[in-house]
């Protein structure tokens, strides 16, 4: 890049900085900036368009277009060339704008006399703020240096907007992070919460986007990058042999030593940006690319670059995670993603969790369920939008986040929470009562658990026992394999806390989206259908034997119930049962006390197991239908895929007919049957499952009250008749028929 161009760019940025430093209103600053930019780039027009809402851009300042059009000209996202830049985050550079695809003429602006057009997005870390445009009468395509210079100006505009430099009258000039925002995400864990934002990774604020001394800034950048490289090398040296962790760190090292990355940041500094602003400009462009990339591997690599940029910014600014802010008394944790150990460190102090990423089967979701914390996943842009201390409402039942809500929304939300609290009081009155339906059927309600912290809910919720204890959590939250003595001590505490109530321990269910930090990951095209759960245990039996020994010793002679996950065929159950027999025989030889009664069961999560030979149903002591996995395999609809998972209803006639067949086989063989999963905790679904003959349901503790309340009010024979009549009439789902019956007989 020529020194002259660098000098001109620095002059422009210096003038911009001086303009920012002047005492002036936001509108006046914007007007001066458009004048300076048009003058510097030798164009007749420079205009700034800002978002007034998520879908609408407004002309907020211009040099060259009609001044009467300011704050009057508006366009939708994607409309015209400006809208195209805003929608896709791409540069539009054309010598003949009227002939360009998507061009829209705005007569009130007087822009018909201008042919050439250059528009660049104003954005910060993936947050789109607006569009910066220059136009000229002569037909010319702007040079790469022109584009670069305008992008640098847009970067400074974004930083100054973040700092509140353009606040004025009108929606488009409102201060950032002050407006009410509604974000729709996915349900990771149901429940509602009201609190204040606590950012897991606080925002880095760049207060000096423009710098006078490029050599000094380049030196600061090089020193910070050297520091970063050393820290990455140290992480690599101290890392375990885990391939996935090593792969991430190797990617960090590659980016930290990337000459192209360094060159682009130094060019930005040469143009007049500070070291921090140069890093953030690269980061913003990487995030913009990330939003367009569909390839999973490339997205992960861009995430690696994003993480590395954050580390570099923290080195340059000295802004670590500890910002001096005090965690609010009612914190709702906001993060892009979070590991199970980190989430457990926060513990029950959290009112809720909102993640930009995550999945319903992720480690964080499992911990959130164990802690009974409402969790929302796929909350787009929440980390960009939220600030520490912002008021936030989390509706985990609907997957909705209200950030900085107005008083009407807060009032309505308070009413909803009050109604839920009243319902809980109602449920408390029936907590000790048996769940007996109107036609005298006893339905046994159990709770799901995975942590010692869950066990107090066994008494508080009215659960008759623990229908599922997820043992993988103790493996997931550690950096190395737990010892047998540690597991035995934990399982003993669980049994002690249960006070004789039945606890069903599910053996280690790993693989798919649950990869141990110290386990070599498997590259599989479809992990949910791959090497997971019992398949891993049978191929690597050492861990299963160790876990079985820990369970047998923890029982100390008491009754013990063990369940194997993801059994797809009879032979897998036989092999797993054989491992139990071998461990049991060894414990007896060693003189250790063995359980007075040992129940061994399996989870039915694949349709294939429903058609296993009769010998399987005769031998297995109990079956638990794993509703979450079974439903996705039955309908061939990945429960992580929002496009397809909501298409298929649990109350679909085909699915209920399939479950009814399982019930009959279990009744014929005298096999104890239960249903475990999210649907067991939904009152209407639970009522229909019970009507189909499933007499044992396992759910999160908070669901037991609502489910029991509904079950006790209705006759299962009548519900079954409604279901069968709806099916006979050709209905795809029985939901409408059942809901109509409940309304008419409530």
């Amino acid at each position: 890049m020529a020194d002259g161009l660098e000098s001109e760019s620095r002059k422009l940025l210096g003038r911009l900085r001086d303009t920012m430093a002047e005492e002036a209103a936001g509108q006046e600053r914007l007007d001066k900036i458009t004048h300076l930019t048009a003058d510097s780039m030798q164009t007749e027009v420079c205009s700034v368009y800002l978002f007034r809402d998520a879908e609408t851009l407004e002309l907020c300042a211009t040099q060259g277009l009609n001044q009467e059009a300011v704050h009057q000209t508006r366009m939708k996202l994607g409309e015209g060339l400006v809208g195209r830049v805003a929608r896709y985050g791409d540069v539009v550079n054309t010598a003949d704008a009227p002939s360009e695809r998507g061009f829209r003429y705005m007569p009130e602006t007087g822009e018909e006399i201008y042919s050439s057009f250059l528009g660049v997005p104003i954005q910060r870390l993936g947050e789109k703020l607006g569009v910066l445009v220059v136009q000229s009468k002569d037909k010319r395509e702007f040079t790469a240096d022109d584009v670069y210079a305008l992008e640098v100006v847009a970067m400074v505009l974004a930083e100054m907007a973040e700092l509140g430099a353009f606040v004025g009258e009108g929606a488009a000039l409102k201060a950032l992070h002050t407006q009410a925002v509604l974000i729709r995400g996915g349900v990771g864990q149901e429940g509602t919460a009201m609190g204040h934002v606590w950012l897991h990774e606080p925002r880095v604020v760049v207060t000096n986007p423009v710098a006078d001394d490029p050599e000094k800034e380049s030196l600061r950048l090089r020193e910070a990058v050297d520091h970063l490289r050393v820290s990455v090398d140290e992480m690599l040296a101290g890392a375990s042999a885990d391939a996935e962790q090593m792969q991430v760190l190797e990617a960090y090292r590659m980016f930290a030593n990337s000459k192209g990355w360094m060159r682009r940041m130094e060019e930005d500094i040469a143009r007049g940006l500070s070291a921090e602003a140069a890093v953030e400009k690269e980061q913003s462009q990487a995030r913009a690319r990330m939003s367009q990339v569909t390839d999973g591997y490339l997205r992960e690599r861009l995430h690696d670059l994003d993480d590395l940029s954050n580390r570099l910014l923290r080195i340059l600014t000295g802004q670590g995670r500890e910002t001096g802010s005090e965690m609010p008394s009612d914190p709702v944790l906001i993060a892009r993603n979070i590991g199970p150990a980190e989430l457990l460190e926060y513990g029950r102090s959290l009112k809720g969790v909102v993640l930009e990423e995550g999945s319903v089967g992720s480690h964080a979701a499992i911990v959130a369920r164990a802690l009974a914390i409402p969790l929302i996943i796929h909350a787009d842009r929440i980390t960009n939008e939220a600030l520490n201390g912002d008021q936030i409402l989390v509706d985990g039942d609907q997957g909705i986040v209200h950030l900085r809500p107005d008083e009407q929304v807060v009032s309505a939300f308070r009413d909803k929470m009050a109604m839920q609290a009243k319902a809980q009081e109602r449920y408390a009155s029936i907590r000790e009562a048996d769940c007996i339906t109107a036609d005298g059927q006893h339905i046994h309600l159990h709770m799901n658990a995975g942590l010692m912290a869950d066990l107090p809910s066994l008494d508080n919720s009215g659960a008759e026992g623990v229908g599922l204890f997820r043992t993988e959590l103790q493996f997931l939250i550690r950096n190395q394999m737990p010892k047998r003595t540690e597991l035995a001590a934990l399982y003993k505490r669980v049994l002690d806390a249960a006070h004789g109530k039945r606890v069903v321990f599910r053996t280690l269910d790993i693989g798919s989206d649950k990869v141990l930090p110290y386990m070599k990951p498997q590259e599989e095209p479809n992990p949910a259908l791959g090497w997971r759960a019992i398949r891993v245990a049978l191929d690597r039996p050492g861990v299963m034997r160790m876990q079985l020994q820990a369970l047998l010793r923890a029982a100390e002679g008491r009754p013990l119930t063990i369940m194997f996950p993801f059994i797809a065929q009879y032979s897998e159950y036989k092999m797993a049962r054989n491992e139990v027999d071998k461990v049991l025989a060894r414990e007896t030889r060693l003189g250790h006390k063995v359980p007075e009664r040992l129940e061994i069961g399996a989870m039915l999560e694949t349709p294939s197991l429903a058609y296993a030979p009769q010998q399987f149903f005769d031998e297995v002591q109990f079956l638990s239908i794993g509703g979450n996995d079974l439903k996705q395999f039955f309908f061939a609809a990945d429960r992580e895929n929002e496009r397809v998972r909501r298409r298929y209803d649990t109350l679909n006639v085909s699915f209920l007919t399939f479950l009814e067949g399982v019930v009959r086989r279990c009744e014929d063989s005298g096999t104890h049957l239960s249903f475990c999963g999210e649907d067991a905790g939904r009152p209407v679904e639970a009522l229909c499952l019970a009507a189909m003959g499933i007499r044992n349901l396992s759910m999160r503790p908070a669901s037991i009250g609502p489910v029991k309340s509904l079950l006790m009010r209705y006759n299962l024979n009548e519900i079954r008749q409604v279901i069968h009549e709806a099916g006979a009439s050709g209905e795809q789902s029985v939901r409408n028929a059942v809901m109509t019956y409940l309304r008419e007989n409530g």
Side-chain angles (χ1 to χ4, degrees), residues 438-656:
D439 55 331
Q441 300 293 327
H442 189 171
I443 309 301
H444 301 275
L445 306 182
H446 306 267
M447 60 172 268
N448 300 331
L451 296 167
M452 274 302 299
D454 295 329
L455 271 299
S457 297
L458 192 52
D459 294 325
N460 300 337
S461 65
E464 296 181 40
V466 178
L468 169 66
F469 190 90
R470 303 181 183 92
T471 61
E472 59 270 12
L473 280 179
Q474 306 310 316
F475 290 79
L476 290 169
I477 61 177
R478 296 166 181 258
N479 292 321
Q480 59 186 14
M481 184 74 72
K483 296 177 181 176
R484 181 177 57 200
T485 52
E486 294 172 332
L487 291 178
L490 170 75
Y491 301 150
K492 178 183 180 300
R493 291 201 302 275
V494 171
L495 289 169
D496 290 345
H499 303 303
K501 291 183 178 179
R502 184 172 180 259
V503 178
V504 180
F505 290 96
R506 183 178 69 187
T507 58
L508 190 58
D509 185 2
I510 55 171
S512 185
D513 54 1
K514 291 179 283 194
V515 180
L516 302 182
Y518 40 87
M519 173 184 171
K520 182 180 179 181
Q522 303 297 311
E523 294 295 330
E524 297 182 291
N526 193 338
L529 299 176
W531 196 59
R532 53 175 292 201
I534 198 64
R535 298 168 181 177
V536 176
L538 294 175
D539 288 352
R540 303 283 190 271
V543 175
M544 179 164 68
R545 289 171 191 157
M546 182 267 286
Q547 188 180 26
L548 290 172
Q549 288 169 353
L551 285 164
L552 291 170
R553 294 179 187 184
E556 295 182 334
R558 291 172 289 188
L560 180 65
T561 305
I562 298 173
M563 176 168 66
F564 294 113
F566 209 64
I567 298 290
Q569 57 185 5
Y570 178 32
S571 62
E572 291 171 337
Y573 174 76
K574 283 199 295 185
M575 287 187 283
R577 176 71 215 225
N578 188 46
E579 290 295 334
V580 176
D581 292 339
K582 283 193 277 189
V583 172
L584 195 60
R586 184 174 183 274
E587 290 296 291
T588 302
R589 283 198 308 273
L590 292 172
H592 294 153
K593 189 181 288 187
V594 296
E596 64 180 51
R597 186 176 71 256
L598 183 61
E599 280 186 286
I600 306 296
M603 290 202 83
L604 192 156
E605 298 168 272
T606 63
S608 63
L609 196 61
Y611 304 100
Q614 185 58 40
Q615 291 96 315
F616 168 73
F617 283 88
D618 292 338
E619 285 181 29
V620 72
Q621 290 168 282
F622 68 93
L623 273 179
S624 180
I625 295 170
N628 297 341
D629 264 337
L630 177 62
K631 195 163 69 172
Q632 74 170 345
F633 298 141
F634 186 86
F635 291 113
D638 186 346
R639 64 192 179 111
E640 306 290 353
N641 187 333
E642 293 295 321
R643 286 186 173 181
V644 298
R645 76 181 187 94
R646 294 186 184 276
R647 291 189 182 197
Y648 303 100
D649 191 354
T650 304
L651 302 188
N652 181 288
V653 170
S654 302
F655 190 60
L656 291 179

Side-chain angles (χ1 to χ4, degrees), residues 204-232:
V204 174
V205 180
V206 176
T207 56
N208 58 328
V210 181
D212 285 325
D213 190 341
E215 289 186 10
K216 179 182 175 184
E217 293 303 304
S218 290
L219 179 61
R220 289 181 63 232
L221 178 67
R222 286 194 293 272
E223 288 176 347
V225 170
D226 286 343
H227 183 105
L228 180 69
R229 287 169 179 162
V230 169
S231 67
V232 171

Side-chain angles (χ1 to χ4, degrees), residues 112 178 183 195 266 317 344 456 477 504 520 606 609 634 689 726 728:
E112 67 273 11
T178 58
I183 297 175
E266 289 188 324
T317 63
L344 277 170
I477 61 177
V504 180
K520 182 180 179 181
T606 63
L609 196 61
F634 186 86
L689 293 172

Side-chain angles (χ1 to χ4, degrees), residues 53-71:
D53 58 47
E55 295 293 323
T56 312
L57 287 154
E58 181 178 297
L59 175 63
C60 289
T62 186
Q63 168 71 29
L65 299 184
N66 291 338
Q67 286 299 315
E68 294 78 12
V70 174
H71 298 304

